[in-house]
Amino acid sequence: MKLLVSACLLGIGCKYSGGDNRCQALLTALEAGGHSVVPVCPEVYGGLPTPRPPAERCGDRVMTQAGADVTAQYRKGAEAALALYRLCGCQAAILKANSPSCGCGTIYDGSFSHRKISGDGVTAELLRANGIPVYTEETFARLLG
């Protein structure tokens, strides 16, 4: 199966802090199943640097803790992720849980207090609106067994 996967989960240092969110269980499952992976970082594709200020979703906007509006970059990155998904013929996406771009089902509440609420990140929301199945590093076993 060909999968769009958050690059940070693969160990690529594109996380807002400059680090990664390497998920060994996911890497093991991908390798064991012989799946093809298309890495994506919507935030980088949207033009944001690494490292970058942390941001959270506040309703329809994405804001940094300092109050900068980065919604346009997040939307641009989401569109790029959707285009990449289609171009590469992916069958599902596995994205970073709780992220303002990639979170699926839960995201941080916009208060920068580590509280989570129901919702999707900008990219997960766009992919799901286009009928694409989206999983996270917490739920990928539903897809990969």
Side-chain angles (χ1 to χ4, degrees):
M1 185 178 332
K2 188 174 278 190
L3 302 164
L4 188 73
V5 180
S6 288
C8 64
L9 295 176
L10 301 172
I12 297 169
C14 56
K15 182 177 170 178
Y16 77 91
S17 64
D20 64 63
N21 291 303
R22 181 183 174 90
C23 179
Q24 189 57 52
L26 173 60
L27 292 169
T28 300
L30 290 169
E31 185 176 336
H35 302 288
S36 298
V37 172
V38 177
V40 65
C41 180
E43 295 171 24
V44 170
Y45 286 6
L48 295 170
T50 303
R52 58 190 163 273
E56 292 187 5
R57 235 181 141 170
C58 304
D60 289 337
R61 314 298 303 162
V62 182
M63 308 295 290
T64 69
Q65 196 166 9
D69 187 335
V70 290
T71 307
Q73 293 93 327
Y74 275 70
R75 287 190 180 144
K76 179 180 175 186
E79 291 288 346
L82 177 60
L84 188 62
Y85 181 95
R86 289 176 171 160
L87 179 68
C88 294
C90 295
Q91 294 148 306
I94 302 173
L95 304 178
K96 176 67 187 106
N98 308 313
S99 158
S101 56
C102 295
C104 183
T106 58
I107 55 173
Y108 290 106
D109 71 358
S111 68
F112 295 90
S113 61
H114 302 287
R115 284 191 305 234
K116 296 175 191 173
I117 58 171
S118 293
D120 291 332
V122 177
T123 297
E125 182 177 78
L126 180 64
L127 295 180
R128 290 176 77 181
N130 280 273
I132 295 167
V134 178
Y135 300 85
T136 69
E137 76 276 18
E138 298 169 352
T139 64
F140 74 86
R142 294 180 201 158
L143 175 66
L144 303 182

